Amino acid sequence: MASAKPMHILVTGGAGFIGSHLCDRLVQKGHRIFCLDNLQSGHRANIRPLLNHPRFEFIEQDICDPIEIRGPLDRIYNLACPASPRHYQRDPIGTVRTCVLGAQNVLELAVQKGSRALQASTSEIYGDPEVHPQPESYFGHVNPTGPRACYDEGKRCAETLFFDYQRIYDVPIKVARIFNTYGPRMLENDGRVVSNFIVQALRNEPLTLYGDGSQTRSFCYVDDLLEGLELLMESPRDVSGPCNLGNPHEVPVREIARLVLDQTGSRSPIEFRPLPQDDPKRRQPVIGRAQHLLGWFPRVDLQRGLRATIDYFSLHMPSGPLDRANQPAPARVHVRASARSQRPH
Ligand code: UDP
């Protein structure tokens, strides 16, 4: 289990879907939290209940800029990056920068403070996998020039940086490869399959099924993921990963449509749309490493997790057009690297 000692912890991307749940959990456990987010795909609403908490500090900042934290820092969870294809493809150059410069800024801070750093990597580093299911030993099958590459290659390079900082500066690192995760606080306009189908079903609008819906994913409920992240962070120093964290229950995407229609009682029809380019055909984690090293296994099954997620959207979704506050920020104007102040290294 997590260390009982109160710690100083930085969560980058702390106002996002996973990051805000992690902040809640760590504050509840007595830790002091610095939450850094540029609010590009994170939202102040996710952390509003924490804003006046004496052990919580919000820093509105882009992770591409050097990070300064006063005082000691024991742990850094690096979750800062738009994670849904719709959001990360909106400003692909910004996504690469966030993955790579963000990881480097986190690691520089870890060197300076002597912190342990956990990288939120992703199943996307396996690309459209030719090995199924995917163990951590698989090097992946990524199209380096396609529209998903900004995220896939960015996250792969971030993993490289983490391991190089471990080799060169002896930073204690942890790399989690996170598979599809869902739950309350997903954005209704995230473009992801679970949030799209739930929002569409609740509005009795057509469910947009891409391709024939036979492509598979394995969906992990957010609470299970948080448990895995914390166990990995607090695992012995020689456990660096990479470590898959995901629910191994693999389902075709069309099955998600069926479950959502069942659970909402919606009258929505299914509308077939073209499959996006480079959309992985199958994805399922091998989680033997997490089971063996962390004693971790997801406990929330898809029915129960979907129920909780549907309940959340039923309560929080405005009935009319998309909530303006929840719409993604307009694409950032990309500033050429040469125009930015560069940190010598
Ligand atoms: N998908 C779909 N309808 C939607 C959104 C997504 O059929 O409205 C499909 C998408 O093509 C992919 C799967 O659902 O095969 C998961 O997509 P998501 O964007 O949630 O995650 P990722 O592709 O990153 O795993």
Side-chain angles (χ1 to χ4, degrees):
M1 232 4 260
S3 157
K5 180 171 99 33
M7 292 186 285
H8 292 68
I9 303 177
L10 169 65
V11 180
T12 73
F17 159 49
I18 295 173
S20 63
H21 284 291
L22 184 62
C23 288
D24 283 345
R25 181 181 169 105
L26 296 172
V27 166
Q28 272 166 26
K29 290 193 169 185
H31 302 300
R32 172 166 183 73
I33 304 305
F34 301 93
C35 164
L36 184 145
D37 203 300
N38 67 353
L39 301 180
Q40 187 195 347
S41 57
H43 285 275
R44 206 176 280 272
N46 289 338
I47 51 168
R48 192 157 288 133
L50 293 174
L51 286 172
N52 291 324
H53 196 287
R55 281 185 283 100
F56 182 84
E57 187 176 325
F58 177 54
I59 305 162
E60 186 173 342
Q61 191 205 300
D62 192 324
I63 198 179
C64 294
D65 298 324
I67 309 164
E68 284 172 25
I69 300 286
R70 274 170 287 107
L73 191 64
D74 304 295
R75 304 280 186 263
I76 308 173
Y77 288 87
N78 184 26
L79 271 59
C81 191
S84 79
R86 176 185 287 178
H87 286 158
Y88 70 64
Q89 289 173 17
R90 226 180 141 78
D91 176 14
I93 298 168
T95 298
V96 175
R97 289 174 53 84
T98 300
C99 290
V100 179
L101 298 182
Q104 188 175 23
N105 285 334
V106 159
L107 288 160
E108 286 289 320
L109 185 66
V111 172
Q112 184 198 328
K113 300 279 187 181
S115 329
R116 192 177 271 211
L118 181 147
Q119 167 66 2
S121 190
T122 166
S123 55
E124 288 275 335
I125 71 108
Y126 299 122
D128 188 4
E130 290 168 314
V131 168
H132 190 81
Q134 295 82 52
E136 291 89 346
S137 55
Y138 178 46
F139 290 165
H141 179 232
V142 171
N143 173 358
T145 59
R148 293 178 90 104
C150 57
Y151 187 72
D152 301 9
E153 299 288 16
K155 288 283 188 176
R156 288 169 70 94
C157 186
E159 285 199 12
T160 308
L161 278 171
F162 266 68
F163 279 91
D164 282 333
Y165 268 76
Q166 181 182 55
R167 279 185 283 263
I168 295 169
Y169 297 112
D170 202 25
V171 175
I173 63 150
K174 310 282 176 184
V175 173
R177 290 185 179 156
I178 301 173
F179 283 62
N180 294 64
T181 306
Y182 70 102
R185 294 190 195 156
M186 292 183 90
L187 288 179
E188 67 178 71
N189 59 1
D190 213 13
R192 310 208 79 145
V193 68
V194 171
S195 45
N196 269 9
F197 285 178
I198 292 177
V199 169
Q200 290 160 347
L202 290 175
R203 291 184 174 154
N204 289 311
E205 290 170 1
L207 266 55
T208 50
L209 188 60
Y210 302 162
D212 63 3
S214 63
Q215 71 273 26
T216 68
R217 295 292 186 272
S218 306
F219 295 93
C220 187
Y221 189 65
V222 64
D223 289 357
D224 282 331
L225 175 74
L226 297 177
E227 180 77 13
L229 287 175
E230 207 183 344
L231 284 168
L232 179 60
M233 180 63 107
E234 301 310 326
S235 61
R237 186 175 169 138
D238 63 341
V239 177
S240 297
C243 188
N244 286 344
L245 292 178
N247 191 317
H249 177 61
E250 181 188 13
V251 286
V253 166
R254 61 169 173 256
E255 175 67 5
I256 300 294
R258 191 190 67 75
L259 287 169
V260 168
L261 289 176
D262 269 10
Q263 290 207 12
T264 53
S266 168
R267 300 184 305 277
S268 295
I270 289 184
E271 190 176 282
F272 289 89
R273 300 261 181 98
L275 195 65
Q277 186 189 334
D278 294 337
D279 198 275
K281 285 179 273 309
R282 299 188 74 181
R283 187 183 285 158
Q284 182 188 26
V286 173
I287 60 163
R289 191 177 281 185
Q291 277 181 284
H292 174 69
L293 293 173
L294 315 176
W296 178 82
F297 192 86
R299 293 165 208 278
V300 181
D301 67 27
L302 193 50
Q303 298 271 358
R304 187 150 70 92
L306 281 179
R307 179 78 270 150
T309 312
I310 291 168
D311 288 349
Y312 168 81
F313 276 106
S314 305
L315 277 175
H316 290 87
M317 201 180 65
S319 51
L322 288 185
D323 180 6
R324 295 186 69 79
N326 250 359
Q327 291 188 12
R332 282 179 295 161
V333 178
H334 173 65
V335 181
R336 279 182 300 116
S338 57
R340 288 175 174 255
S341 59
Q342 297 290 296
R343 273 189 107 196
H345 180 70

